Amino acid sequence: MGTAALGLLWAVLLLPLVVFGVPTEEPTSGEAVASSPPGHCRRCCDSEDALAPADAADVSSASPSALPYVLPEVRPYINITILKGDKGDRGLLGTPGKLGKEGPRGERGPQGTKGAKGQAGSPGGPCQTRFSAFSVGRKTALHSSEGFQPLLFDTVFVNPDGHFDLAAGHFVAPLRGLYFFSLNVHSWNFKETYAHVMHNEEAAVILYAQPSDRSIMQSQSVMLALAPGDRVWVRLFKRERENAVYSDDVDTYITFSGHLIKPEDD
């Protein structure tokens, strides 16, 4: 039973070979084109010579798309790594280009770390006095007996740096700058009061009161530009009449004050 089925299967497989036969030689590309030209049929009685030129013309005129095979596409390829040489030397530096436009200001960066403490500097010069002031008074009356007579003072209110010489009645400027001075006196009844505020040996301003049956308080003030060593003081001038200032041992009627306003180098 099994042998009969196997024989039937082999008969089915070998039947096409028996009917059509087995090709003994594979046709060439030329024969394949000649045996089946496109577009018309060939009779068995036609000679091969008569058909050869026509077949050749048909084959030459046929488009590549009608051919039974695809022509290969040739693409040249060059290995560039073979042609690349060794790396050359570095060239010369070119000229710098033009300066570009200034960009926008950037944001403020973070605060840096605190630096190390520096070395101590060399000692400076002696401290220069930047302040000067005085205020003095007189408790006794004075009648002038000469043409010019200095007005001396016997009471000190303020003289911290000793710039006012009480014995001479002079203020001596310690440095160059602007100073303010004021003089206050009390006149005497029926006597003339005539006093100068002096800058060195020249009269800067005058304080004057006419003779009167009443005694009055008179004042004068001035601002002076002084150099170091300049002196400011008060003097009386007699003239034709008796010149006097009034005061007593109880109250202070005569005062002379001054102070530095601004040093010149500030």
Side-chain angles (χ1 to χ4, degrees):
M1 183 67 179
T3 304
L6 184 58
L8 181 60
L9 180 60
W10 275 107
V12 173
L13 293 176
L14 295 177
L15 180 61
L17 296 179
V18 175
V19 175
F20 298 100
V22 179
T24 59
E25 188 177 18
E26 188 174 331
T28 62
S29 60
E31 292 175 349
V33 173
S35 60
S36 57
H40 63 278
C41 298
R42 178 183 175 187
R43 293 179 297 176
C44 297
C45 59
D46 291 338
S47 62
E48 293 182 3
D49 296 337
L51 295 175
D55 294 342
D58 293 341
V59 172
S60 61
S61 62
S63 62
S65 60
L67 298 177
Y69 53 85
V70 179
L71 294 177
E73 183 179 0
V74 179
R75 295 184 179 180
Y77 171 75
I78 300 176
N79 188 357
I80 196 65
T81 59
I82 300 176
L83 303 178
K84 185 177 181 181
D86 297 335
K87 185 177 181 180
D89 297 334
R90 184 175 182 178
L92 299 176
L93 182 65
T95 57
K98 295 182 179 179
L99 186 64
K101 295 183 179 179
E102 185 178 358
R105 185 175 180 180
E107 298 181 357
R108 185 175 180 179
Q111 184 177 3
T113 57
K114 186 177 181 180
K117 186 177 181 180
Q119 298 180 354
S122 57
C127 182
Q128 187 178 13
T129 302
R130 310 295 295 177
F131 176 80
S132 179
F134 75 95
S135 182
V136 294
R138 182 182 176 95
K139 288 182 175 291
T140 58
L142 177 65
H143 289 77
S144 61
S145 58
E146 300 176 1
F148 294 103
Q149 181 179 359
L151 180 59
L152 302 180
F153 299 88
D154 52 25
T155 303
V156 176
F157 298 110
V158 174
N159 191 23
D161 300 306
H163 297 155
F164 188 85
D165 186 353
L166 194 64
H170 295 173
F171 167 77
V172 182
L175 67 157
R176 189 181 304 274
L178 297 179
Y179 294 78
F180 177 82
F181 299 93
S182 65
L183 173 64
N184 295 275
V185 300
H186 195 280
S187 65
W188 202 308
N189 295 359
F190 304 105
K191 296 181 181 181
E192 189 177 44
T193 301
Y194 199 114
H196 286 124
V197 177
M198 303 294 295
H199 178 194
N200 293 328
E201 299 303 324
E202 296 184 0
V205 292
I206 186 173
L207 184 151
Y208 179 73
Q210 293 181 342
S212 174
D213 57 350
R214 294 183 302 171
S215 61
I216 58 174
M217 293 292 294
Q218 292 286 92
S219 65
Q220 180 64 282
S221 60
V222 65
M223 187 182 297
L224 297 175
L226 303 181
D230 282 359
R231 296 174 296 110
V232 180
W233 52 288
V234 181
R235 75 178 183 184
L236 296 179
F237 179 43
K238 184 177 181 180
R239 299 206 306 175
E240 296 85 4
R241 301 176 183 178
E242 185 178 7
N243 190 11
V245 289
Y246 175 81
S247 190
D248 58 33
D249 297 337
V250 179
D251 296 318
T252 303
Y253 287 86
I254 304 169
T255 61
F256 182 42
S257 304
H259 64 276
L260 173 65
I261 297 176
K262 180 181 182 298
E264 187 181 67
D265 56 354
D266 278 4

